[in-house]
Amino acid sequence: MIGFEVIKLLALSLLSVFLYSIYVKAFRFLTQTERTLGLESHKKKNGTITMGGIIFLVLPLFFIPYSQTTLMIIIATLGFGILGVIDDLLIVIMKKNDGLPPIFKLVVEIIIASIIFYFYLKDENSTFLHLFGLSINLKWFFGLIILWLLTASANAWNLMDGVDGLCSGCSLIFGIGLMIIAFNKSEFEILYLLIAFHIVLFVFWCFNFPKAFLFMGDVGALGLGAFYAITSIYLESLTAFVIMAFLFIFETLSVILQVTYFKRTKGKRLFKMAPFHHHLEACGLKEVSIDLLFYAIQIGLVALAIFFIS
């Protein structure tokens, strides 16, 4: 049985390489349009093929075991992924990096998160909040945790996706942390799902680092954020999630601080550009250097989270 699963994962690896190789040749019309006010160095990325996240969100679905838990993780991931597809297609069609209105995206994300919570509660899953040693039964209020975590995580991953290889590389390291947690908790169906998902994500990363031949798009970034958030919820590992997601949280905070400071000072900037990885770029750091710095920090955060909960 184990040998058969290994063969399936090997087949998934080979199929991933094949599909991504085909994708970068067959979908040259799905191109990214960079922001007009973005970094000058990013202007040359106009025309890069996008929406590569579709493959690492969909392909694993044909290789994983299905249960109530894995099905709900998949539904949440695909719900946010589909929203990302619509956003990406608007950017491709309109040739402007605007996409869906932010308020509309937020409303749809809240609706998806509410549906997930309904089924989460219907399946009688735990509504205890385990965070930094505290265990509190939130009952219906647990829905606010799901609502906040899914929407905040999806948008944090979207903000991190601004440098070649940054979001996908940090996500791979993040995923290893969740695999260790799933193994320690004997959640083997979730573990297999994580392994299958990250095999395809690793192949994508190879096309995205150090110089991107392919972007994941909002479909990939929103889907990734939702995937890690809902998986952490089902693993009852919110403490680990908060620790491991520190970089993503910091990137989001850098945007909030930048906007707030800009408004309060009537035009002054706290950072040269936000999110923070763009500030580092504007200070002269190369994309590869930023990637390696963030990877190192992400490894430390995963190690800290595993040590903290063990």
Side-chain angles (χ1 to χ4, degrees), residues 89-270:
L89 286 176
L90 280 175
I91 292 172
V92 170
I93 293 169
M94 302 300 294
K95 300 296 182 183
K96 292 170 59 180
N97 200 307
D98 294 331
L100 292 167
I103 296 298
F104 178 82
K105 285 172 67 175
L106 182 61
V107 169
V108 174
E109 288 168 357
I110 291 172
I111 291 171
I112 296 170
S114 300
I115 293 171
I116 296 302
F117 175 60
Y118 170 78
F119 285 104
Y120 182 89
L121 204 64
K122 188 172 180 290
D123 293 337
E124 299 181 350
N125 289 295
S126 172
T127 54
F128 276 86
L129 175 63
H130 305 287
L131 196 62
F132 299 106
L134 297 174
S135 293
I136 307 170
N137 190 358
L138 296 179
K139 297 182 180 179
W140 277 93
F141 287 103
F142 195 79
L144 296 178
I145 300 294
I146 292 179
L147 186 75
W148 173 78
L149 204 63
L150 279 172
T151 54
S153 181
N155 288 289
W157 255 259
N158 203 19
L159 287 172
M160 181 72 93
D161 185 31
V163 169
D164 294 355
L166 184 61
C167 185
S168 54
C170 287
S171 296
L172 285 168
I173 300 165
F174 193 104
I176 291 171
L178 286 182
M179 289 180 211
I180 294 170
I181 293 169
F183 179 81
N184 289 339
K185 294 193 172 198
S186 299
E187 294 283 356
F188 296 116
E189 286 182 336
I190 295 179
L191 175 61
Y192 193 91
L193 170 63
L194 285 164
I195 292 172
F197 188 91
H198 286 87
I199 284 174
V200 190
L201 181 59
F202 173 75
V203 174
F204 168 81
W205 175 77
C206 293
F207 281 84
N208 192 242
F209 176 85
K211 183 182 184 302
F213 293 96
L214 177 66
F215 292 152
M216 67 171 67
D218 284 359
V219 54
L222 294 178
L224 275 178
F227 175 76
Y228 292 120
I230 194 65
T231 302
S232 299
I233 289 169
Y234 274 99
L235 286 173
E236 297 183 40
S237 299
L238 294 188
T239 299
F241 178 85
V242 171
I243 295 171
M244 294 193 298
F246 175 80
L247 270 177
F248 296 87
I249 295 169
F250 177 73
E251 287 279 272
T252 304
L253 286 176
S254 71
V255 174
I256 295 171
L257 289 171
Q258 180 84 322
V259 172
T260 303
Y261 189 79
F262 186 85
K263 289 181 177 179
R264 291 281 180 89
T265 59
K266 297 181 179 179
K268 292 183 180 180
R269 297 177 185 275
L270 187 61

Side-chain angles (χ1 to χ4, degrees), residues 4-54:
F4 177 69
E5 297 302 331
V6 171
I7 291 172
K8 281 176 63 178
L9 293 176
L10 179 60
L12 176 61
S13 305
L14 296 174
L15 187 56
S16 300
V17 174
F18 174 74
L19 288 179
Y20 272 118
S21 299
I22 295 297
Y23 190 93
V24 295
K25 293 179 180 179
F27 292 93
R28 295 182 183 276
F29 59 91
L30 294 175
T31 55
Q32 177 71 18
T33 300
E34 292 295 319
R35 294 187 182 279
T36 306
L37 299 177
L39 289 162
E40 193 62 34
S41 60
H42 280 232
K43 301 293 176 62
K44 61 186 178 183
K45 297 185 181 185
N46 275 318
T48 304
I49 303 167
T50 188
M51 296 178 68
I54 289 177

